[in-house]
Amino acid sequence: MTAFLISLAVIFVAELGDKSQLMAMTFATRFRALPVLIGITAATAIVHLASVALGAAVGAALPTGPISILAGVAFLGFALWTLRGDELDDTERDKAKRATGSAILAVGAAFFLAELGDKTMLATVTLAADHGGFLALTGVWAGSTVGMVAADALAIVVGQMLGRKLPERVIKYGAAAGFAVFGVLLLVEGIAG
């Protein structure tokens, strides 16, 4: 349960203001909310399952102390990445607006591709490397998936109801602070362990 809750919180915060959350808002202006959410959920579940498998392999190959230190450094890097910001470029915005056919397939494919190598995928790999055992890894997968879908659902609601983004500056600094806190905690755990 701890792995689930930590993963949910970390990925929810990581997704705030992320490129894929901006994509969710854009898709929500074109399609109904439910197909957008289903597409996001399917893509996220697949990408995060692969991320957990990769993280588990790394975690099994390395001792726990160095993994925690590497995870801490990675999370501090994610904090800096978040401060730098993430925006949709014109090509990605146009793809989201021109998507035709099944909304679920269009959204799912776009999110799958957008998440490959994204900070939420890398954060999930890092969380999985730091948690061993089938139940903990299942918790990481479920928590990271639920956290991302919840953040994107928030973007869909905000996008449909308000027609504009949440205050970007507040989101950026809050997410960066969350990553920094998790990074420091993991560093302390790795050094102490």
Side-chain angles (χ1 to χ4, degrees):
M1 190 60 152
T2 302
F4 173 83
L5 293 174
I6 289 171
S7 298
L8 189 149
V10 167
I11 299 303
F12 181 85
V13 169
E15 186 64 7
L16 294 176
D18 190 65
K19 172 177 57 176
S20 49
Q21 192 180 42
L22 299 174
M23 286 176 60
M25 283 182 176
T26 303
F27 277 120
T29 64
R30 179 159 173 84
F31 301 117
R32 290 186 344 259
L34 185 59
V36 173
L37 199 56
I38 290 170
I40 290 169
T41 302
T44 300
I46 293 167
V47 169
H48 287 201
L49 184 61
S51 302
V52 167
L54 179 60
V58 169
L62 297 173
T64 316
I67 289 175
S68 289
I69 292 170
L70 287 173
V73 170
F75 274 82
L76 291 173
F78 297 149
L80 294 174
W81 187 349
T82 300
L83 285 174
R84 180 189 63 119
D86 210 359
E87 296 179 4
L88 286 179
D89 62 24
D90 291 336
T91 305
E92 292 165 326
R93 188 174 285 108
D94 289 342
K95 280 183 192 175
K97 287 184 179 179
R98 286 188 321 236
T100 58
S102 170
I104 294 171
L105 291 176
V107 172
F111 268 79
F112 179 82
L113 294 173
E115 283 305 304
L116 295 177
D118 193 49
K119 70 182 169 191
T120 51
M121 179 190 177
L122 298 175
T124 303
V125 169
T126 303
L127 288 163
D130 200 42
H131 292 84
F134 178 76
L135 287 178
L137 292 173
T138 302
V140 170
W141 175 67
S144 65
T145 301
V146 169
M148 184 159 163
V149 171
D152 289 338
L154 176 64
I156 291 168
V157 169
V158 169
Q160 288 187 333
M161 292 178 70
L162 301 177
R164 62 180 188 257
K165 294 187 290 187
L166 289 170
E168 188 176 330
R169 194 173 205 185
V170 171
I171 291 169
K172 184 190 306 186
Y173 292 129
F179 273 125
V181 167
F182 280 109
V184 169
L185 290 173
L186 286 167
L187 282 171
V188 168
E189 179 183 313
I191 293 168

